[in-house]
Amino acid sequence: MKNLNSLYKATALGLALVFGTSVLVMNGCKNPAEDIKVAIATKTLSKSATLVQFVKANPSGPALPATIAVTIGGPGKDFVQTDNGGKDFVASNGLLPLSLNRFSAPSAANPIVFTVSANVAGYAPVFQKITIASDADLKNAVIPLVSLTTPPAGSAVVQADKPLTGGTTAVETKIETAVSATTPQAVELVLPAGTQVQDANKQPIAATTLKTTIVYYGTTNADALKAAAPIMTAVNPIGPNNTPITGNVSFITAGAVSINMTAGNTAVKNFSKAMTAEIEINPALINPNTGVAIKAGDVIPVWSLDETTGQWKYETTVSVTSAGGKLVALISINHLSTWALNFYTTTACPFTVTINLAADIKAYAGYTVVYEHAGQALAVLTSELSTNAPAGTTSIQIKNPVPAAFKGKVVVYAASATGLTKITESPSLANCNDFTLNIPSPAFTDFVDTDISFVARCTNKDIIAYPTTWMSLKDITDGTAINIHMVDGKVNAKLKNGHSYTMSAVYDEKTYTSETVVIDRTKSVAISNAAGLKVSGAYSTANKKMVLDADFTTGTCK
């Protein structure tokens, strides 16, 4: 259809839209070009809606950039599209709605796997693997960005300039991260004297200064582990003997270090002599192979990450040693990327957890269920518990997506304005049998069952759209936020009585946000903003629901 791109763009002006079928309604037959209105019901031009959400790894860090350029990679990249059907992947205010195109056919037997990566100025590079196993899959991938000036507790950053002579180190050159109360371990890099820095093609770089940025991810603090979790996903990894590992792989890290160097204006990727990295190891870390604290003599696999594809490659193993009262691993590096000390397994652990809820599932907005091993997240079982099933549900089942025999526990967190609070957890798994976890009622229980209907009207194109999209609902009262999925302009949510909310979403690199809506059974809603978004409605005592109509009208559709 000639105007298909216009239809995409018009569909989402106000709230981010994903796609749909179009129905042409002829109002007469005088002239085929006259009196045509296009009504768009938006759920069949795309599949498997995915919301990528970038957040600050350190809540006290600087604000994220307004826009973030994103690269989509991996074997399923050709099936991935933006909310307007394009391939220009840019997050706005941290949000990037994605979906699979209509030619995709994801299934449990043949899932579609792709990677999301971003290299943001002032932040450490990030990677995230996303697996889609059905047309109906909904994903909310949360990716922490590590600020180079204010990294999260448990991690460390150092930026250093070192002299070169014709691109060569004249003396032994050392670069080390600092220790702190929250990051008691460090990493030290050593370049031997006479080392020539080289580019990606192993050509010498003639420069006078070597600029280095090191990001160390330790294991002493949950914030650092969460920040490292996205890059710890194994995408088609290359195993020992340079052999691809089929199926899925799970990592438990003993520490990781991201190294970026430039000589002049050229990225350093190789060296004429191997560089060494001494990585200190948390002595309280549990070795998943032995089940006890790591000690000198334990052997850990060493991996490097291809930062263009997100693919991990097995390099060698290293024996842990004791030096100066600390446990260390000394590895040899001859090319630059992210390097990690990762235990791994491909053995399956196919448990199913039955989660019994003490209240309606819609009351658990902001609840996250995670599978962890000794504090390390092996998988997020669900990033938003309240969206896993229809209203009225009080019990759900979740299959373990971790293909690993690493015995962990299922942990439930609730979102607050200051982060995540642990609500409950299961015992550590002694085996891979099915089990049950009970979650108590939320602290706040006065929720209003709320139906939201949305329509977008494009007056200069005679287009009416009923969006299928991700909507962000921010609770202005307590500072929390949830992301929910709307289908053909309809969405249901449990919102807190007496609290104020804003509704927002992203489309075509822009963020659209409503004025504040007060959820109150005794008051009606009637608001509008300059952009053309109106929200109106009231509580129905007969249906025991708050019914809101959101209408966006614009005359400037492209």
Side-chain angles (χ1 to χ4, degrees):
M1 181 183 292
K2 186 167 127 181
N3 291 324
L4 184 59
N5 191 52
S6 293
L7 297 185
Y8 274 131
K9 291 184 177 293
T11 303
L13 292 173
L15 290 174
L17 309 183
V18 184
F19 301 88
T21 55
S22 60
V23 179
L24 300 182
V25 181
M26 295 289 198
N27 293 328
C29 54
K30 303 175 293 182
N31 183 330
E34 292 181 1
D35 300 322
I36 297 178
K37 290 188 182 293
V38 181
I40 305 175
T42 60
K43 67 177 182 180
T44 62
L45 291 182
S46 69
K47 306 173 181 179
S48 314
T50 297
L51 182 65
V52 176
Q53 182 177 11
F54 294 96
V55 299
K56 296 187 291 185
N58 182 348
S60 301
L64 298 182
T67 59
I68 296 172
V70 172
T71 299
I72 303 298
K77 65 180 181 180
D78 292 339
F79 293 111
V80 182
Q81 61 189 10
T82 62
D83 53 2
N84 68 351
K87 293 287 187 178
D88 186 15
F89 300 107
V90 178
S92 174
N93 291 311
L95 299 177
L96 175 59
L98 301 173
S99 63
L100 300 183
N101 62 34
R102 64 185 185 277
F103 304 109
S104 62
S107 66
N110 294 290
I112 290 177
V113 179
F114 62 94
T115 61
V116 174
S117 62
N119 199 335
V120 185
Y123 293 85
V126 289
F127 307 86
Q128 172 76 71
K129 181 182 77 170
I130 296 176
T131 301
I132 305 295
S134 77
D135 288 354
D137 259 7
L138 293 178
K139 301 286 186 181
N140 186 181
V142 179
I143 303 178
L145 283 178
V146 175
S147 167
L148 299 181
T149 56
T150 53
S155 64
V157 174
V158 62
Q159 295 178 289
D161 290 357
K162 297 293 182 179
L164 297 173
T165 302
T168 301
T169 55
V171 297
E172 184 180 73
T173 301
K174 296 182 178 181
I175 308 167
E176 185 178 14
T177 62
V179 299
S180 66
T182 59
T183 311
Q185 284 80 44
V187 173
E188 181 184 64
L189 301 184
V190 179
L191 284 78
T195 300
Q196 172 73 58
V197 296
Q198 302 170 343
D199 63 16
N201 296 317
K202 296 188 176 181
Q203 295 301 305
I205 305 171
T208 58
T209 303
L210 178 66
K211 294 181 177 293
T212 302
T213 299
I214 302 172
V215 181
Y216 167 61
Y217 300 93
T219 64
T220 58
N221 190 284
D223 288 342
L225 291 171
K226 290 173 186 174
I231 65 173
M232 289 301 165
T233 54
V235 182
N236 301 320
I238 304 298
N241 302 316
N242 209 35
T243 303
I245 300 176
T246 58
N248 293 310
V249 177
S250 284
F251 286 149
I252 289 179
T253 191
V257 56
S258 171
I259 310 167
N260 287 278
M261 292 181 173
T262 57
N265 295 318
T266 303
V268 177
K269 290 298 180 182
N270 298 284
F271 307 92
S272 62
K273 298 180 180 181
M275 173 175 63
T276 60
E278 184 180 84
I279 304 174
E280 295 178 0
I281 299 173
N282 173 17
L285 177 71
I286 300 299
N287 182 330
N289 293 327
T290 64
V292 298
I294 199 164
K295 64 184 185 304
D298 285 359
V299 176
I300 309 175
V302 179
W303 299 77
S304 68
L305 176 68
D306 184 331
E307 296 180 346
T308 60
T309 64
Q311 184 179 56
W312 284 96
K313 180 182 179 182
Y314 176 97
E315 296 282 354
T316 184
T317 59
V318 62
S319 293
V320 178
T321 60
S322 180
K326 293 190 173 184
L327 296 178
V328 299
L330 187 65
I331 64 175
S332 179
I333 295 175
N334 56 17
H335 67 275
L336 281 189
S337 64
T338 296
W339 290 71
L341 309 173
N342 289 342
F343 296 100
Y344 76 105
T345 182
T346 58
T347 306
C349 185
F351 70 77
T352 296
V353 55
T354 298
I355 297 179
N356 292 327
L357 308 171
D360 188 319
I361 193 169
K362 294 299 180 182
Y364 292 88
Y367 275 61
T368 300
V369 184
V370 182
Y371 184 45
E372 296 182 353
H373 176 277
Q376 293 193 38
L378 299 183
V380 176
L381 301 185
T382 172
S383 59
E384 179 51 65
L385 180 59
S386 67
T387 64
N388 269 255
T393 301
T394 57
S395 181
I396 62 172
Q397 289 189 330
I398 302 176
K399 293 184 178 180
N400 175 25
V402 181
F406 293 144
K407 305 300 190 300
K409 61 177 65 175
V410 173
V411 186
V412 179
Y413 296 93
S416 68
T418 57
L420 294 176
T421 300
K422 184 183 292 186
I423 299 299
T424 189
E425 63 184 19
S426 73
S428 293
L429 275 66
N431 49 50
C432 292
N433 295 338
D434 297 349
F435 64 98
T436 298
L437 180 64
N438 298 317
I439 302 180
S441 294
F444 190 100
T445 57
D446 187 11
F447 286 87
V448 179
D449 193 10
T450 305
D451 283 342
I452 303 172
S453 298
F454 181 82
V455 61
R457 306 176 192 275
C458 182
T459 57
N460 67 315
K461 294 285 186 179
D462 278 336
I463 294 171
I464 299 173
Y466 303 95
T468 297
T469 181
W470 286 95
M471 177 189 290
S472 295
L473 295 173
K474 183 175 182 180
D475 189 328
I476 304 300
T477 304
D478 64 17
T480 60
I482 60 171
N483 298 309
I484 56 177
H485 196 244
M486 175 188 295
V487 177
D488 286 346
K490 305 289 185 182
V491 69
N492 174 267
K494 288 291 183 79
L495 304 181
K496 296 176 181 178
N497 188 42
H499 284 218
S500 298
Y501 290 83
T502 58
M503 300 182 294
S504 67
V506 172
Y507 177 78
D508 205 16
E509 303 176 25
K510 295 180 181 179
T511 301
Y512 299 88
T513 303
S514 75
E515 298 299 311
T516 299
V517 177
V518 179
I519 302 299
D520 190 322
R521 294 186 183 90
T522 66
K523 298 178 182 179
S524 60
V525 174
I527 63 168
S528 62
N529 63 17
L533 178 61
K534 297 179 181 179
V535 181
S536 61
Y539 184 77
S540 169
T541 55
N543 296 325
K544 296 183 179 180
K545 284 188 175 185
M546 175 76 79
V547 180
L548 299 178
D549 293 313
D551 191 306
F552 182 78
T553 302
T554 181
T556 59
C557 293
K558 296 179 181 179

